[in-house]
Amino acid sequence: MNSKLSTRDFSMLISLLIIWIIFAILSPTFVSARNLSILMIEFSIIAVLALGMLLIILPGHIDLSVGSGVGLFGGIASVLVFQYDWNATLAMCCSSILAVIVWWLMGTLVVKQKIPAFIITLGGLLIFKGCFWLVIQNSTIPVVKGGNTNLYSLLTTYYLPATAGYILCFIIVACVTYRKIINRRNRRAYGFEVESREISFMKVFVTAQGALLFVLISNQYKGIPLSVVILGMLALFVHILTEHTRFGRYLYAIGSNEKAAFISGIPVERLVIMSFAIMGGIVALTGFLQTAYAGASTTTIGNLMELDAIAACVIGGTSLKGGRGNVMGVLFGSLIMVSLLNGMTLLAISPEIKFITRGTVLTLAVWMDIRLSNK
Amino acid sequence: METLNFTAKNIVKKFPGVIALGGVNFELRAGEIHSICGENGAGKSTLIKVLSGIHAHGSYEGNLYLGDKPLILSSLKDAEQAGITVIYQELALIEDMTVAENIFLGREPTHNGIIDWHRIYNEAQQLLNQFHIDIDPTTRLGDLGVGQQQLVEIVKALGKKSRILILDEPTSALTEKEVEVLLSIVKNLRTQGISCVYISHKLEEVFDISDRITIIRDGQSITTLEAKKTNRDEVIHYMVGREIKDLFPRKKTSPGETLLKVSDLCVHDEEDKAALHDISLEVKAGEVLGIGGLMGSGRSELLLHIFGAWGKRRSGTVEIHGEPLQNHTPTQSIQKGLVMVSEDRKMYGLILEKDIGFNLSLSSLNSFSNMFLIDSAREFVANDKYFKSLRVKAPNLESIVENLSGGNQQKVVIGKALMTDPKIVFLDEPTRGIDVGAKLEVYELMNQLTEKGYAIIMISSELPELLGMSDRIMMLCEGRVGGTFVNENINQQQLMAAAMEAK
C-alpha cells in the first residue's frame, strides 16, 4: 500500500468539500441532521453496489446489468414476502442465492465462451428488467404487510441507539490506531519508507474527528442508520479481500496483465467467475436496501444504478482497464456521486438537468482516469 | 535536406530514487553509424527517450543540439519533425495493411480528398528500390517475417525524410540471414548521408557496422571509441568495468533421476492445425537441456504446451516424476514443481505497474497464506531473500517493476519462478536483451540450480549460448526434432544443419 497522499486522493477530498459547500449555501437544509442522515442511507446503498463493481472492474471487466438486477432481486424478495407471506429473512436468502447463481452463470459465459462482459451484461440489463416487471406485474409491492416491520423493511429504517453509536465509534478509532502503529512498525522493519510520525498522527486524528462528528450528527437525528453499518462491514470485507488475500492480489494481477497472470499459475477463469458470483450477492443486497428505502418494489427501482456505481468507482480512482483501484477510493467516489444526486433533489433541479449532470460527471471521471493513467 | 550533427551535452535525468543518467555526452556526426553499448540499466533506454523526445525537454538537465542550434523536443512528434526517428524493438506497424499502406500511414497522398493509391504504391516501390530492399509493396505486412517488417519500418521512417535513425535492438528477434540483410541496408544508408544510432547487445554486429562506439556505464558516458581502433575485449572491459574471462561458466554435474519425460508428442494449435510432431525428450535432475531452432520452429510452443499454457494434444504423453499430465493448467504444473520463465517478460512475465514484491511472490502466495489471509511478514522475508540473492538493483521491494532495467526485470521474473520451489525450470531465451554482466549472473544461477538438483530446459537462439551452457542440445525444425546431441565435440554448423532440416 502506498503511504503517500496522491494528488488524486487530494483532489477527491477537495471536490467533495466544494460540492458540499455549494449545496450548503444554495440550500441550508443540505447540512441539516435529517438530510445528512438521508444522505448517509443513500450513500450506503450506492457504495455497496460500487464495492461490488470494484471486484468486477479490477480484473478488467464491467457489469452493466446490476441496475436491473437491483430491481429484480429486491422485487423477488418483496413478492415472496408480500404475496406469498414468506418470512422476510428466508425470502431475502432465497433471492440472494438466486442472484449468486445468475451472476455465476454470467461470469462463466464471460470466461468460458469468451463473450465480452460488456455484451453479456448488456443482455442481462434488458433480460433482468423484463423479468423484474414480470415478477412485480408492473405494480407496487410493499416490502412488508400493512404498517408492520420486518427485517426487510428495517434495513433502511432502523437506527442504532445513541450509546451504541459512541461505542462503535470508539472501537473503530481504536482499531485504526492499532493498525497504524502495527503498519508503521512493520514497514520500518522491512526497510520501507515510513511517513513521518506527525502525518500518521494527523491521519488518525482526522479519522477520529470525522468518526466522532459523524456519530454526533447522526445522534442528533435518529442515530447511525443500520444501512451504514452494513456498508461498513461490507467495506471492511472487500478491503481485506483486495489487500490481504490471494484472491485480491490475483484480481489486480489479472487486470494489469492477464497473460502474465495465467503463466504465473493464477487460475484466471475461476477467479473471474468468483468475482461475478460475489457481485451477484452484492446486487441482491443492494436490491433489498434500495427497495426497502423506497418502501416498496416499483418498476423504477434500480434505474441507472449501474452507471452511478461505475461512476463512483472511476471517480474513486479505479482504472477501467483493470488492475488499479481500492476500497477507500470507491467510498469517496460514491459519496461524491450521492452528494450530487441528493443536493440536486433538494434544490428541486429538473430531471433533465439531473441526467445531464450525471452524464457529465461520468464522462469527466473517465476522462480524468485516462489522463492520469497515461502519466 | 542536409544531415546535421546531433549532439547531447551533459544530460542528467533523475527518477524518484534513481539517477538514470548522471551526465551523458553523445555526439552523432552526419552520416556515421554510432553504436551505444552498455550493460542493462546503464541508461541506454533513458538516453534514447531523451534523444527522441519521449522524455520532454525540461524533465532532464542538459541540452540537445542539431548542428549548432539548441534543439527542444517535447514529444516524439517534435523529434520526427526534426528528422529524428526511433525504430523500436516492438514494431509500430499494422499487420493487416499492405507494405505500401504502412509506409504511407498517416500521410497518405490525396487527390481532391480521395486517397491516391497509385501514387502510394509507386512511391513505396521507389523508396524500396532506393534502399535496395526486395519487398513487394502490395504484400500484406503480416505475411512478412519479422526481419522484413523491420525493414519496412525503416523505409517508413526514411519516407518521412528522417535523416537520423535510432535503432533500438533491431536484431533481437531476427534470424542470422535477416540480420545480414538489415546490417547491409543500414550500412548502405550511410552512403546516402543518413546517420544512425545503433543499440545492440550483440557486439559482432556493433563491430560490423559502427564507425564509432560510445560506452555508457551507470548512467555516465565512459568513452567514445573508433570502431577500427578498438576490439571486443576493450569494449566489454569498459562496459562492465571489469574483465570477463569466461563467458559461459557451465559447471557439469552428474545427472540424477529423470524428472520430465515427454514421449511422441503431437500438438495442434488454437486453429487446430498440426504444430508439433512426434517430439520426445527427457531431462534429468542436475541437467541442462538446450533447445534451439529458428523462429517458428515451435520451441516456445513446445515448452508452453508441456507447461499447460498452449495448444491441444492429439497424442503422446508428458510425465513429471512418472506422473502423467494431461489437460493441465499452469496452476497445476507449478504445483507439480514445473515452472516457466517466458521469453517476453513484459507480455508474459511481469505485472509492470506493480512493485517488485507483488511480482516476486505472485506465483507462490499459497505458501504464505493462512486459510484466507496472506501473512505479510512471511511474504516479506521470502521476497527479501530473493531480492537480495538475485541482486536486483532497485531501492527496495516497493519499486515499480516498470522502472527497472531489462536485466533487473528478468531477475524478478526468475525470482518469481524460483520462489515456487520448483524441480524443473523452463527458461525461454533467459538472456535476451540483457547485457554481458547480467547474462553471466543468469548463467551462474543456472549452475547453482543444477548443483541443487534442478532440471533446466533452456531455449536459446544464440548457438554459442546453447553450446556453452547445455549438457545436451535438441534442435527443432518446423515442429519436428531436427536432431539431438550430447554436447561434446559438436559445432555450430552441425546444430544449424539440424535446425534447417528435420529428419
Side-chain angles (χ1 to χ4, degrees):
Chain A
M1 248 201 324
N2 203 330
S3 59
K4 283 177 210 147
L5 264 177
S6 69
T7 14
R8 184 170 201 140
D9 300 333
F10 215 66
S11 63
M12 257 195 302
L13 206 62
I14 301 277
S15 37
L16 186 63
L17 279 177
I18 292 176
I19 290 169
W20 279 14
I21 291 169
I22 291 176
F23 280 130
I25 293 170
L26 292 178
S27 159
T29 37
F30 182 76
V31 283
S32 68
R34 180 170 175 280
N35 187 57
L36 286 178
S37 176
I38 290 173
L39 183 83
M40 288 322 286
I41 295 175
E42 289 171 350
F43 161 62
S44 52
I45 297 171
I46 285 288
V48 164
L49 191 62
L51 287 172
M53 192 61 83
L54 174 69
L55 297 179
I56 298 287
I57 296 181
L58 275 186
H61 294 278
I62 192 91
D63 191 340
L64 301 177
S65 69
V66 294
S68 301
V70 163
L72 176 60
F73 293 97
I76 290 174
S78 294
V79 167
L80 290 177
V81 169
F82 192 77
Q83 294 181 341
Y84 294 87
D85 283 323
W86 281 36
N87 170 290
T89 317
L90 186 65
M92 287 195 285
C93 281
C94 285
S95 183
S96 307
I97 291 168
L98 192 62
V100 170
I101 293 171
V102 169
W103 256 260
W104 178 80
L105 281 174
M106 284 206 294
T108 311
L109 284 173
V110 169
V111 296
K112 299 276 185 199
Q113 303 299 320
K114 312 257 179 266
I115 314 173
F118 181 85
I119 298 299
I120 290 282
T121 58
L122 190 61
L125 183 154
L126 298 170
I127 295 169
F128 301 154
K129 183 71 84 181
C131 293
F132 175 35
W133 289 1
L134 276 179
V135 166
I136 62 167
Q137 297 290 316
N138 294 320
S139 58
T140 302
I141 319 267
V143 295
V144 64
K145 280 201 169 170
N148 292 329
T149 54
N150 58 14
L151 182 62
Y152 195 176
S153 72
L154 285 177
L155 282 177
T156 53
T157 53
Y158 180 78
Y159 298 83
L160 294 190
T163 340
Y166 289 117
I167 294 171
L168 193 64
C169 173
F170 177 77
I171 294 174
I172 288 172
V173 171
C175 287
V176 168
T177 314
Y178 175 74
R179 282 295 309 169
K180 198 83 199 171
I181 292 170
I182 293 291
N183 189 275
R184 282 178 62 92
R185 184 188 301 163
N186 286 345
R187 289 183 64 84
R188 189 165 296 128
Y190 299 163
F192 293 162
E193 255 175 78
V194 182
E195 60 191 12
S196 74
R197 193 178 289 267
E198 289 76 23
I199 299 256
S200 287
F201 176 76
M202 277 308 287
K203 279 186 180 171
V204 172
F205 185 70
V206 168
T207 313
Q209 293 274 300
L212 190 64
L213 191 67
F214 170 66
V215 175
L216 282 172
I217 292 175
S218 301
N219 284 348
Q220 253 185 28
Y221 187 57
K222 289 179 180 170
I224 297 175
L226 175 63
S227 63
V228 173
V229 180
I230 294 175
L231 169 65
M233 291 192 302
L234 184 72
L236 184 65
F237 171 72
V238 176
H239 173 76
I240 291 174
L241 200 62
T242 50
E243 300 287 336
H244 300 286
T245 70
R246 272 169 289 171
F247 178 79
R249 285 282 181 91
Y250 292 167
L251 289 188
Y252 284 99
I254 294 170
S256 299
N257 187 346
E258 185 172 334
K259 287 173 184 161
F262 177 64
I263 297 286
S264 300
I266 293 174
V268 174
E269 298 191 342
R270 210 176 68 212
L271 279 156
V272 172
I273 295 176
M274 261 170 75
S275 59
F276 267 91
I278 296 175
M279 184 53 154
I282 289 178
V283 166
L285 175 61
T286 317
F288 308 144
L289 289 168
Q290 181 71 0
T291 311
Y293 182 59
S297 182
T298 62
T299 51
T300 54
I301 296 277
N303 250 355
L304 292 181
M305 275 182 83
E306 62 279 341
L307 296 183
D308 291 339
I310 293 170
C313 285
V314 177
I315 294 171
T318 311
S319 164
L320 282 176
K321 281 182 278 176
R324 186 159 47 77
N326 60 45
V327 168
M328 260 331 256
V330 171
L331 292 182
F332 261 109
S334 309
L335 195 51
I336 289 178
M337 208 59 202
V338 168
S339 304
L340 276 175
L341 292 175
N342 176 291
M344 288 194 296
T345 310
L346 269 187
L347 294 175
I349 287 173
S350 66
E352 297 86 334
I353 302 298
K354 275 168 104 175
F355 275 126
I356 294 171
T357 315
R358 266 160 113 171
T360 312
V361 169
L362 180 63
T363 315
L364 280 178
V366 174
W367 177 68
M368 239 180 74
D369 166 50
I370 290 165
R371 281 293 299 254
L372 288 175
S373 48
N374 282 347
K375 268 187 184 170
Chain B
M1 199 165 136
E2 189 199 354
T3 312
L4 297 166
N5 291 352
F6 182 35
T7 326
K9 279 190 188 150
N10 279 323
I11 304 290
V12 176
K13 170 80 187 169
K14 292 173 187 160
F15 289 112
V18 191
I19 297 172
L21 297 177
V24 170
N25 292 299
F26 177 72
E27 182 207 32
L28 178 68
R29 291 181 194 148
E32 75 166 345
I33 300 176
H34 193 149
S35 290
I36 300 178
C37 292
E39 284 194 291
N40 262 358
K44 291 178 311 233
S45 320
T46 316
L47 179 61
I48 295 168
K49 286 180 181 164
V50 169
L51 296 181
S52 62
I54 293 177
H55 289 322
H57 179 84
S59 71
Y60 54 86
E61 295 160 34
N63 286 306
L64 301 178
Y65 298 90
L66 195 59
D68 301 326
K69 293 192 192 107
L71 179 66
I72 291 176
L73 302 176
S74 313
S75 65
L76 262 180
K77 228 185 164 77
D78 284 359
E80 262 177 27
Q81 270 163 9
I84 303 163
T85 304
V86 192
I87 313 288
Y88 279 104
Q89 288 162 296
E90 294 87 12
L91 297 170
L93 297 172
I94 297 168
E95 292 206 337
D96 281 320
M97 289 188 172
T98 63
V99 170
E101 283 176 89
N102 268 294
I103 292 176
F104 281 91
L105 191 65
R107 51 184 194 97
E108 293 83 356
T110 56
H111 187 72
N112 298 331
I114 311 280
I115 294 181
D116 187 346
W117 290 112
H118 214 71
R119 244 183 89 191
I120 289 190
Y121 283 99
N122 276 335
E123 287 185 16
Q125 185 69 63
Q126 279 172 20
L127 273 172
L128 291 165
N129 290 344
Q130 187 189 342
F131 299 105
H132 309 287
I133 296 169
D134 184 23
I135 297 175
D136 180 355
T138 59
T139 326
R140 187 178 152 273
L141 188 92
D143 295 337
L144 299 175
V146 190
Q148 288 182 308
Q149 293 189 17
Q150 199 108 41
L151 295 177
V152 173
E153 178 103 32
I154 291 174
V155 173
K156 182 180 167 190
L158 297 171
K160 287 191 237 172
K161 309 280 181 245
S162 283
R163 304 299 291 172
I164 294 169
L165 290 184
I166 302 175
L167 299 160
D168 186 4
E169 292 280 350
T171 58
S172 62
L174 305 192
T175 61
E176 269 175 50
K177 180 83 189 139
E178 289 173 322
V179 171
E180 249 171 63
V181 176
L182 180 90
L183 292 185
S184 76
I185 284 165
V186 172
K187 279 189 229 168
N188 181 35
L189 294 178
R190 176 168 45 186
T191 63
Q192 310 202 14
I194 289 163
S195 343
C196 289
V197 179
Y198 193 84
I199 291 112
S200 176
H201 285 297
K202 299 181 186 164
L203 289 181
E204 296 81 21
E205 291 171 12
V206 167
F207 276 98
D208 187 5
I209 69 166
S210 311
D211 297 307
R212 293 193 297 158
I213 301 169
T214 289
I215 290 149
I216 296 187
R217 189 173 76 221
D218 299 330
Q220 278 162 342
S221 42
I222 300 299
T223 178
T224 298
L225 304 163
E226 295 278 337
K228 290 201 183 89
K229 291 182 192 157
T230 179
N231 58 43
R232 197 188 148 85
D233 290 341
E234 192 184 8
V235 169
I236 293 179
H237 170 78
Y238 280 121
M239 275 166 67
V240 297
R242 61 183 183 273
E243 301 211 28
I244 291 181
K245 287 266 185 293
D246 192 358
L247 263 181
F248 300 108
R250 175 82 187 120
K251 283 184 215 140
K252 303 240 163 162
T253 45
S254 53
E257 52 171 341
T258 301
L259 291 182
L260 173 73
K261 188 171 159 66
V262 173
S263 319
D264 306 319
L265 203 60
C266 291
V267 181
H268 285 212
D269 65 12
E270 313 293 332
E271 281 149 17
D272 212 23
K273 274 190 278 187
L276 302 173
H277 312 266
D278 295 320
I279 294 179
S280 300
L281 63 85
E282 60 173 55
V283 55
K284 298 190 171 71
E287 192 182 41
V288 176
L289 171 66
I291 296 186
L294 302 171
M295 282 275 150
S297 61
R299 308 170 305 189
S300 299
E301 287 79 1
L302 173 63
L303 293 197
L304 281 170
H305 177 78
I306 297 172
F307 186 56
W310 187 85
K312 298 176 200 127
R313 193 181 311 167
R314 286 287 169 260
S315 62
T317 54
V318 173
E319 287 172 16
I320 291 181
H321 270 304
E323 221 182 309
L325 276 183
Q326 194 152 19
N327 292 327
H328 54 298
T329 61
T331 319
Q332 287 156 333
S333 299
I334 289 172
Q335 279 163 4
K336 296 251 189 298
L338 168 63
V339 74
M340 173 141 186
V341 175
S342 304
E343 153 183 46
D344 186 337
R345 56 182 167 264
K346 287 187 179 158
M347 185 99 101
Y348 298 103
L350 294 166
I351 313 295
L352 285 171
E353 58 184 296
K354 301 295 175 199
D355 62 26
I356 297 176
F358 184 104
N359 276 281
L360 276 175
S361 62
L362 191 60
S363 289
S364 17
L365 286 176
N366 284 335
S367 46
F368 317 121
S369 296
N370 309 324
M371 281 292 283
F372 187 59
L373 298 178
I374 296 168
D375 182 338
S376 59
R378 263 158 66 204
E379 186 195 358
F380 174 80
V381 171
N383 280 344
D384 199 45
K385 185 178 132 201
Y386 281 93
F387 181 68
K388 287 190 176 131
S389 68
L390 291 169
R391 292 195 293 267
V392 181
K393 275 183 215 149
N396 61 33
L397 281 168
E398 284 190 329
S399 311
I400 302 298
V401 169
E402 199 165 10
N403 300 337
L404 302 182
S405 69
N408 284 310
Q409 287 182 345
Q410 187 71 342
K411 287 180 186 173
V412 173
V413 184
I414 293 177
K416 176 178 74 174
L418 296 183
M419 209 188 275
T420 63
D421 195 18
K423 285 282 155 281
I424 308 160
V425 183
F426 289 173
L427 300 172
D428 192 352
E429 298 280 7
T431 64
R432 164 168 297 173
I434 68 176
D435 58 82
V436 192
K439 274 184 185 179
L440 200 64
E441 288 188 71
V442 170
Y443 298 146
E444 270 161 7
L445 186 67
M446 287 171 69
N447 281 336
Q448 288 167 21
L449 294 178
T450 48
E451 265 168 31
K452 286 185 201 155
Y454 287 59
I456 295 177
I457 299 187
M458 173 187 72
I459 292 179
S460 177
S461 319
E462 289 179 38
L463 296 178
E465 183 172 84
L466 278 179
L467 287 167
M469 288 307 295
S470 317
D471 298 318
R472 287 183 300 122
I473 298 173
M474 184 167 98
M475 298 305 287
L476 291 182
C477 173
E478 289 168 11
R480 293 170 203 277
V481 178
T484 311
F485 307 86
V486 174
N487 194 359
E488 276 165 21
N489 303 324
I490 50 172
N491 58 36
Q492 297 196 24
Q493 281 70 32
Q494 284 168 295
L495 293 181
M496 215 49 219
M500 306 296 281
E501 198 176 350
K503 278 176 202 162

